[in-house]
Amino acid sequence: MKAFTNPQDLVVAIDDAKSHIMQRVIFWKKRWGEFQPPAGVAWNWTSVPFDAAAASGVPNNLHGLYTFVLCPRVASHPKNQLILYVGKADKTTLRARFQHYFQEKKKVKRPHICYALNKYEGNLEFCFTTVANQNDIEPGEDALLVALMPPYNEKFPASVSQIIGGLK
């Protein structure tokens, strides 16, 4: 890309770049070090593209935790990723939860989720880990939320919810 010579082209490019700024991305090293997961979670993650054709790769009879991960796929770099959202599949199976998001993508029930699923279409991975004991799912989700504070989650455990609220 050449340097801009026309000021209006520069304004358009900057406005376009600003439309892609993600709010509330927090890289808090101390929280990562304090990560306290429940002992019953093995953290054996599997990743599938967020694409309806990938549903068969998500367990249809198991529960667990999942994340939506933004994967720009630039230069095939394996570590250029950002966790956008953390969720749990405790009352439904992981596959049912995966498939539910295709409905959320079409409805504006939770605007922040609908926005992310549509804005980053083609660059999202659904990563999941099964959890044998359903009592470990919610504590596992809370531990991830406290450590990662993903930008598209809105509800957090009390230990970080006030901090997040103070950032607005």
Side-chain angles (χ1 to χ4, degrees):
M1 179 179 226
K2 293 182 184 180
F4 292 97
T5 56
N6 179 329
Q8 191 56 40
D9 291 342
L10 175 65
V11 168
V12 168
I14 291 172
D15 285 346
D16 184 42
K18 284 182 177 182
S19 74
H20 298 281
I21 293 173
M22 187 180 301
Q23 298 298 314
R24 201 183 51 73
V25 175
I26 302 169
F27 298 111
W28 199 342
K29 188 177 175 182
K30 178 182 174 194
R31 292 284 178 174
W32 304 338
E34 294 172 349
F35 180 64
Q36 293 291 321
V41 180
W43 305 107
N44 295 320
W45 293 94
T46 301
S47 181
V48 298
F50 181 62
D51 183 289
S56 63
V58 181
N60 196 27
N61 58 344
L62 299 172
H63 302 273
L65 297 161
Y66 62 89
T67 60
F68 275 101
V69 180
L70 179 61
C71 304
R73 296 183 182 92
V74 173
S76 300
H77 195 288
K79 303 293 182 183
N80 188 11
Q81 303 170 349
L82 175 65
I83 295 175
L84 297 179
Y85 184 82
V86 169
K88 62 185 176 189
D90 56 353
K91 295 180 177 116
T92 186
T93 67
L94 283 160
R95 185 180 302 172
R97 196 69 187 109
F98 175 82
Q99 291 173 323
H100 176 79
Y101 278 102
F102 291 99
Q103 295 170 357
E104 289 219 28
K105 189 176 170 189
K106 295 175 185 173
K107 297 180 189 172
V108 188
K109 182 178 178 185
R110 294 192 300 167
H112 61 292
I113 299 298
C114 180
Y115 175 82
L117 295 176
N118 284 284
K119 181 161 182 96
Y120 301 114
E121 183 175 11
N123 292 100
L124 292 174
E125 295 274 328
F126 184 85
C127 301
F128 61 90
T129 186
T130 61
V131 179
N133 183 345
Q134 285 183 260
N135 292 329
D136 289 329
I137 293 175
E138 189 166 336
E141 180 190 38
D142 286 350
L144 286 172
L145 289 170
V146 168
L148 299 173
M149 295 188 226
Y152 284 92
N153 281 85
E154 290 189 326
K155 295 178 183 174
F156 291 87
S159 61
V160 293
S161 64
Q162 290 180 321
I163 295 167
I164 301 243
L167 296 174
K168 293 181 180 181

